[in-house]
Structure formats: C-alpha cells, structure tokens
Amino acid sequence: MPKQFPPSELVINNDGSIFHLHLKPENLADKIILVGDPGRVSLVASHFDSKECEVSNREFHTITGKYKGKRVTALSTGIGCDNIDIVMNELDALTNIDFATRTEKPEHKTLTLVRVGTCGGLQPYTPEGTFIASVKSIGFDGLLNFYAGRDEASDLKLEAAFKEHVGWNLKMGNPYVASANEELIDRIAGDDMVRGITVACGGFFGPQGRQLRLPLMDPDLNQKIESFKYDDLQVTNFEMESSALAGLSALMGHKAMTCCMVIANRVAKKMETEYKGDIDGLITRVLDRI
C-alpha cells in the first residue's frame, strides 16, 4: 500500500492549491528561480516573453511564464531557512505527490532550482557587485538536523574541519554543510562568478557578527570564519537561505544552487543599499543558463 499523507501533514486548500504557496500542480514549471523579496519576482518576470499565471499569498509571490522557449517559475521565499523549509516541501509535494489520492507518485520528477539573492562578502576579492556561486553552504540554521539522512546529505569532513578551525561553541547549535548540484554550478556559474563556501545564518544581526546593543557569544567568530580554508575554497559570503535549499534538495532528489550579488563587504565595512538595478544582470544570466 502506498503511504497516505493525511490532511494535517499535506495541507491542501479548498481550491486544490497547496497551503502556503497557494499553487496548484499545473502552475509550477520544472525550472524555478527563487528570490527572497516578493517584489523581485516581478523583476524576474519582466524578462518573460509571456505569463500564464500569477499567485500571491503572504511573502510567497509566484509568476510562471515562458523565457526564450523555456517554461520558468519565479517564486519568492521571504527571508530565512525556515521559509525554505516551507517552500521546498510544498514544491516537492506539488511535483511528486498525487493530490487526488494523497499518495506519492510512482515516478519521481526532478526540479531545477536556482536561488538569486544578495549577500555580504567576506574576502578582499569579493567587493560590492561581485557575483558568488555557493559550491558549499555551512548552515548555522540547524534545519537539516531535523531530517533523517542529514549526515548522508552533508559534507562531514568539511563540517568537522570548520568546527575545529573556529572552535565552534555547541550552544549555538550544530552546523551542517550542504553541497550544491555540481552540474548546475558549472552551468550557471560559468566563468564570471566567484565560487566559494557560503555561511547561511539564522539571522541578520548576531548570527552574522553584527553587534548593536547586544553582545555576541563569540565576538571573534567572523575573523575565524574569514581565515578558514578547505581544499581550494574559502568562505566567501554570508546569506540566509542557501544551506537549507541545497540540503533539502539533495534529500528530495532535486538539483539546486544559490548565486548571490555582494551588496556589503564585511571586511571593508562597506554597504551598497541601492543595488536593485544591478541585480538584474545576475537575473538575466541565470535565466539564460537555467
């Protein structure tokens, strides 16, 4: 007997759409561009040749259409790995669960997902405007630790080396290391994006070493992160979603990666707030290569 997913686990709205995203299976393309900002979905879709549907609920804004003959979905996730947990589980359900019978489909379908976002650069060679592809993502969020198969989907050697290098305090949770899909990295990053290790943080302030009125658990953590090297990779940037996207996609059998434009260089202590026009160049690169 195929496993049944009860209404409390797979929540389907009365119109047949998935609970949070409000999408129906037919609304979703196999190629998906994820952005954080709901407003950025319209920027992605402004390049489409045609649009077939547009759906919004809370921070989740979706437009599906055609770009140069390719069917593409642009979808906003909001901020943080907790939202990626919602988005990835609901996208996978839309793709690989039969809503009529509430059972898993006999043939698995693989989605291709590219997150296009912004980040903080952590190296002298990642100034504002740099495009970075996350080959590995160190998750400070802890999300993947709640799923069976966490170790199989993680780079345990890199995880151990990182924790030893920084003297990781387990009061901050246990980090995990997720890998982007190699074929997708090669195709999307090309020769015009820096490839590196990304730290995905569970917050914008303390977890990224920003100190306002509250003191930090480890005031020297950022300096230790910046000096970490593993094989030929360094930690190039901070952001807040890449680890959950790569980790959950690996567990679910999807192809995923994150590429971001640097809008702040934490080493130089510089920040560019008027970046929204510049990120369009990264969006068009991804649309052409996805």
Side-chain angles (χ1 to χ4, degrees), residues 17 21 29 31 66 92 116 119 153 173 189 193 206 226 234 241-242 264 281 285:
S17 65
L21 302 183
K31 300 177 186 292
K66 287 284 186 69
D92 183 70
V116 178
C119 67
M193 296 186 194
E226 291 158 16
Q234 286 183 283
E241 291 86 17
S242 62
R285 279 173 172 80

Side-chain angles (χ1 to χ4, degrees), residues 18-154:
I18 197 81
F19 185 56
H20 294 95
L21 302 183
H22 278 213
L23 296 176
K24 299 176 182 179
E26 61 267 24
N27 299 145
L28 188 66
D30 295 347
K31 300 177 186 292
I32 303 167
I33 294 179
L34 300 175
V35 295
D37 182 355
R40 199 174 295 153
V41 171
S42 296
L43 178 58
V44 175
S46 70
H47 298 285
F48 289 178
D49 302 313
S50 61
K51 301 174 188 176
E52 64 181 69
C53 72
E54 182 169 3
V55 179
S56 291
N57 182 52
R58 300 187 185 188
E59 60 266 64
F60 308 114
H61 180 200
T62 306
I63 299 177
T64 294
K66 287 284 186 69
Y67 176 81
K68 295 182 179 179
K70 296 181 287 191
R71 189 168 183 252
V72 179
T73 292
L75 167 64
S76 62
T77 66
I79 297 174
C81 285
D82 51 345
N83 276 15
I84 296 294
D85 185 59
I86 292 172
V87 169
M88 281 307 305
N89 275 282
E90 294 199 353
L91 290 179
D92 183 70
L94 286 164
T95 306
N96 289 306
I97 295 177
D98 186 323
F99 278 26
T101 63
R102 291 183 170 274
T103 59
E104 186 173 353
K105 294 178 180 178
E107 293 187 10
H108 178 272
K109 179 187 283 189
T110 299
L111 298 173
T112 298
L113 307 111
V114 180
R115 173 175 131 66
V116 178
T118 57
C119 67
L122 291 174
Q123 299 298 336
Y125 57 84
T126 58
E128 302 97 304
T130 303
F131 296 159
I132 296 178
S134 305
V135 176
K136 304 278 186 178
S137 292
I138 303 175
F140 285 4
D141 55 284
L143 177 67
L144 212 65
N145 298 332
F146 289 87
Y147 288 93
R150 176 260 194 225
D151 284 356
E152 289 75 9
S154 301

Side-chain angles (χ1 to χ4, degrees), residues 190-215:
D191 58 5
D192 53 9
M193 296 186 194
V194 172
R195 304 184 190 199
I197 300 170
T198 296
V199 171
C201 299
F204 183 78
F205 289 94
Q208 295 189 31
R210 287 185 174 91
Q211 184 173 335
L212 297 183
R213 291 202 315 112
L214 295 179

